[in-house]
Amino acid sequence: MPERIIESCNVKRLEVLDEKGNADESLMPSLSDEQIKKMYELLILSRTFDQRALNLQREGRLGTYASILGQEASQIGSAFALEKSDWIFPSFREMGVYITMDYPLHMLFQYWSGDERGVKCPDDLNIFPVCVPVGTQLPHAVGAAMGVKYRGDKKTVACYFGDGGTSEGDFHEGMNFAGVFKLPVVFICQNNHWAISVPREKQTASKTLAQKAFAYGFEGIQVDGNDIFAVYKAASEAVRKAKDGNGPTFIECFTYRMSDHTTADDAARYRLKEEIDSWKPKDPILRLKLFMEKKGLWNNQYQTDVENKARETVDEAVKREEAIEHPEPKDMFTFTYEKLTQRQMRQIKEL
Amino acid sequence: MPKLNMVQAINLALKEEMQRDKNVVLLGEDVGKDGGVFRVSEGLLDLFGHERVIDTPLAESGITGVAIGMALYGLRPVAEIQFMGFIYPAIDQIFSHASRIRARSRGRFTCPLVVRAPCGAGIKAPELHSESSEALFCHMPGIKVVVPSSPYNAKGLLISSIRDPDPVIFLESTRLYRSIKEDVPEGEYIIPLGKARVVREGKAVTLLAWGSMLHRTLQAIEDIDAEVIDLMTLKPFDEETILKSVKKTGRVVIVHEAPKTCGFGAELSATIAEDAIFHLKAPIMRVTGYDVVLPLPKLEDFYIPTTARIKKAIEEVMKY
Ligand SMILES: Cc1ncc(C[n+]2csc(CCOP(=O)(O)OP(=O)(O)O)c2C)c(N)n1
């Protein structure tokens, strides 16, 4: 009996927009000029937010912060494909997703300043609080998708995590359930190439992260994560597929974290400057700008207006956040259980 | 003798043990190239190479499970879990396996493993970076739990932990990592597991603490003739030293940062009540964290037991 190949796996990579701002028309997702401008404005707003957060942290006005510098297109491009009624399970590095979904900006600052009240999601959104333990949110997203399917709703669940997250057991258990039950969930992995000091190659021996989906029986695709059109296209197709009852998709956004892992980290200890420099021309904002310029959607005045608007929005959010009163110590008791326990009642009196 | 902080003292212990015994290997997230997020393993990769200082994938259950396998095979793995809150994904391996391998194999296989993790609040870190869940591990038979409170003790206790034939959870207070310096000799010295340390002798009241709370407790005693005991090992804990002190003073205040309910203080009070109740002049008091999810930085100072709360508890027991 000869040995036979009984299964093999192909991994697709999607790129739409090149570094010079030229888009492949045959792959270009359908987006109006207004939508493209909206994307650009979200990119600028997210970057402005991020830079401000880093500054505030340096001034001691925010706690440890996880920057999204360089990953904006992966976040905004994917979140742009979602509707407000969809459910989102982020990790801790999805400020661009929160911003795209219109999460109140001052509340994001509030969270990063160490005030829990900042993650109380407004009622018209279903975006979960920052998930600090890496990879543990996947099974939750899958469970919510099980709920969507059970109720027959037309919704998708989007779940975000990093390359490091793919090493955790929960990643594999969540992916496996999603495949077995063919659930309406879109896994969005931002492969930013590093999990603190550990490079992607030391995280997994597989050549791509996208191919991991193959083992669980559904499609995985790699997209250029600095190309907002590619990310948007892959995400909107995955969302459509999920809503049509055709199961999960895994999207690997191939991107790069330009800043330190967090403000508590010093990436210079383990990353080469040349590597960082090689990613500079791939900047997601620059690329969309070049595209828009060619299309006549961008000029200097527009840039100034967008930047000013973003700065004002962020200033306003900081002002609003800093005017909020310090939380009351008793606040830490309020949400442990629905009702205080007898012992908690006594403890509150000690405060 | 060099004055070292806790990070340097632990680093020295690791280095000397690795030099002494080639079975000692380190593994964990960012322990190699980065030298650990708190720099505890700084320089060890250069000295011992990638085979003995292993940067692992981001997987606590994997790290612990693999370390268990190494230990079964005869190595002496020291696994680092980046923060105590991230030990939870590894609990299955610790509870279902590390703790019971000796018992299940009737002593044929053993698990001489050390799991190190930074613990405790007060450094304004994000969620799950500040846990004090030592009691969970103390409850599980087969596991030892060590919590050093100073650089000198950290070195001696870590050496004992690495040489110990059973699995040890070794908890390092992030707040103490760089805040105290102490003479720490180079070369081998051992502080045995299971022994408490009388930090200060006194006759009026016994104060029991460990890790960072020891320091806060010491700050809280003013003109009181208190006896202060640093438990150092919580499992197995030094009943003899504690009971001896309680029999002398007749008063006890226990201080820990973990929540009160089912915290390790409960075990200590029950032991004292069982074995020394007729020596007590006052009720046993516990000063602890509250029964809440540990708050984010804006409220953490309200959570951690303050010197004022410790003082008040001491005053309370002194009334009797
Ligand atoms: C379970 C768990 N282990 C360890 C950590 C500490 N930690 C925080 S982020 C991080 C690296 C995450 O890398 P990746 O998943 O690639 O996401 P990135 O931060 O690069 O976006 C680590 C080890 C954690 N938060 N949770």
Side-chain angles (χ1 to χ4, degrees), chain B:
Chain B
M1 215 184 290
K3 279 212 184 295
L4 302 185
N5 66 26
M6 192 109 148
V7 169
Q8 295 162 323
I10 297 170
N11 180 279
L12 185 60
L14 292 171
K15 185 174 98 182
E16 290 179 1
E17 281 304 279
M18 291 180 82
Q19 277 161 344
R20 193 189 63 89
D21 179 356
K22 66 176 184 339
N23 287 316
V24 178
V25 295
L26 304 186
L27 70 164
E29 291 154 19
D30 303 288
V31 299
K33 192 111 191 250
D34 207 27
V37 289
F38 286 100
R39 311 288 175 244
V40 170
S41 45
E42 177 135 44
L44 300 179
L45 175 64
D46 291 340
L47 282 175
F48 300 104
H50 287 283
E51 285 189 343
R52 293 184 68 195
V53 182
I54 306 162
D55 270 326
T56 65
L58 208 180
E60 291 73 14
S61 179
I63 293 165
T64 313
V66 166
I68 290 172
M70 287 172 152
L72 300 179
Y73 197 74
L75 304 186
R76 294 268 165 171
V78 179
E80 177 178 297
I81 298 296
Q82 213 157 62
F83 288 89
M84 193 169 195
F86 307 137
I87 209 168
Y88 303 146
I91 277 192
D92 176 28
Q93 285 296 340
I94 297 171
F95 285 8
S96 310
H97 298 286
S99 69
R100 46 210 304 144
I101 278 164
R102 180 184 292 279
R104 279 170 62 224
S105 68
R106 306 284 89 199
R108 167 70 175 81
F109 297 108
T110 61
C111 189
L113 155 75
V114 179
V115 179
R116 296 180 32 247
C119 69
I123 57 159
K124 305 254 180 273
E127 197 182 354
L128 283 150
H129 288 67
S130 308
E131 306 281 293
S132 308
S133 18
E134 62 269 19
L136 294 179
F137 299 92
C138 292
H139 186 62
M140 190 50 71
I143 305 276
K144 294 181 178 175
V145 179
V146 177
V147 191
S149 63
S150 78
Y152 178 86
N153 293 299
K155 182 181 170 195
L157 286 165
L158 183 54
I159 293 175
S160 293
S161 301
I162 294 172
R163 296 184 191 178
D164 196 271
D166 288 308
V168 177
I169 307 289
F170 192 89
L171 301 173
E172 303 162 6
S173 161
T174 51
R175 212 158 64 240
L176 298 182
Y177 264 151
R178 293 173 193 278
S179 62
I180 32 175
K181 282 199 164 190
E182 197 171 62
D183 286 337
V184 179
E186 287 191 18
E188 178 176 311
Y189 67 89
I190 282 174
I191 296 182
L193 302 191
K195 280 259 162 269
R197 166 172 80 111
V198 179
V199 179
R200 187 187 127 132
E201 291 192 13
K203 297 199 189 69
V205 54
T206 299
L207 307 179
L208 302 177
W210 51 92
S212 67
M213 280 301 118
L214 177 78
H215 300 276
R216 206 151 268 193
T217 303
L218 288 169
Q219 284 158 10
I221 32 179
E222 280 165 350
D223 22 312
I224 293 188
D225 184 24
E227 178 140 303
V228 182
I229 298 179
D230 175 6
L231 263 69
M232 301 200 296
T233 306
L234 301 186
K235 180 80 171 281
F237 68 99
D238 185 353
E239 291 183 58
E240 201 186 317
T241 301
I242 294 167
L243 291 171
K244 196 170 141 212
S245 175
V246 173
K247 286 176 184 169
K248 177 169 69 172
T249 64
R251 295 184 181 88
V252 189
V253 174
I254 301 162
V255 185
H256 65 64
E257 193 176 303
K260 186 169 196 169
T261 304
C262 296
F264 196 67
E267 178 60 40
L268 294 174
S269 353
T271 304
I272 294 165
E274 270 173 5
D275 293 337
I277 196 155
F278 296 117
H279 296 269
L280 289 177
K281 298 175 192 147
I284 302 164
M285 297 281 282
R286 284 178 283 165
V287 184
T288 68
Y290 299 116
D291 284 349
V292 301
V293 173
L294 200 122
L296 290 185
K298 284 228 163 139
L299 289 179
E300 72 178 351
D301 288 341
F302 294 95
Y303 170 88
I304 303 169
T306 55
T307 48
R309 285 177 61 206
I310 301 170
K311 271 186 196 153
K312 200 163 152 234
I314 298 173
E315 275 163 24
E316 202 68 35
V317 297
M318 292 310 295
K319 281 189 197 151
Y320 291 85

Side-chain angles (χ1 to χ4, degrees), chain A residues 50-51 54 57-58 64-71 92-93 192 194-197 256-272 276, chain B residues 34 39:
Chain A
D50 197 62
Q51 297 298 313
L54 289 169
Q57 194 282 334
R58 264 179 233 121
T64 306
Y65 173 73
S67 163
I68 61 168
L69 188 65
Q71 299 183 214
F92 47 82
R93 201 190 291 284
N192 64 16
W194 291 88
I196 313 191
S197 71
Y256 195 79
R257 143 171 85 72
M258 297 299 286
S259 43
D260 292 335
H261 168 73
T262 64
T263 49
D265 170 54
D266 173 15
R269 292 174 66 91
Y270 51 84
R271 286 196 320 196
L272 293 175
I276 303 170
Chain B
D34 207 27
R39 311 288 175 244

Side-chain angles (χ1 to χ4, degrees), chain A residues 202-270:
Chain A
K202 290 232 176 139
Q203 207 58 244
T204 168
S206 71
K207 200 165 168 192
T208 67
L209 298 175
Q211 75 199 60
K212 293 189 182 288
F214 182 80
Y216 298 107
F218 55 93
E219 192 196 353
I221 179 172
Q222 186 183 82
V223 305
D224 179 341
N226 287 14
D227 165 356
I228 197 163
F229 294 148
V231 178
Y232 172 74
K233 183 180 167 68
S236 46
E237 283 168 9
V239 166
R240 173 99 335 268
K241 176 174 138 194
K243 287 186 181 168
D244 288 345
N246 294 320
T249 309
F250 180 98
I251 301 173
E252 174 188 355
C253 298
F254 196 85
T255 182
Y256 195 79
R257 143 171 85 72
M258 297 299 286
S259 43
D260 292 335
H261 168 73
T262 64
T263 49
D265 170 54
D266 173 15
R269 292 174 66 91
Y270 51 84

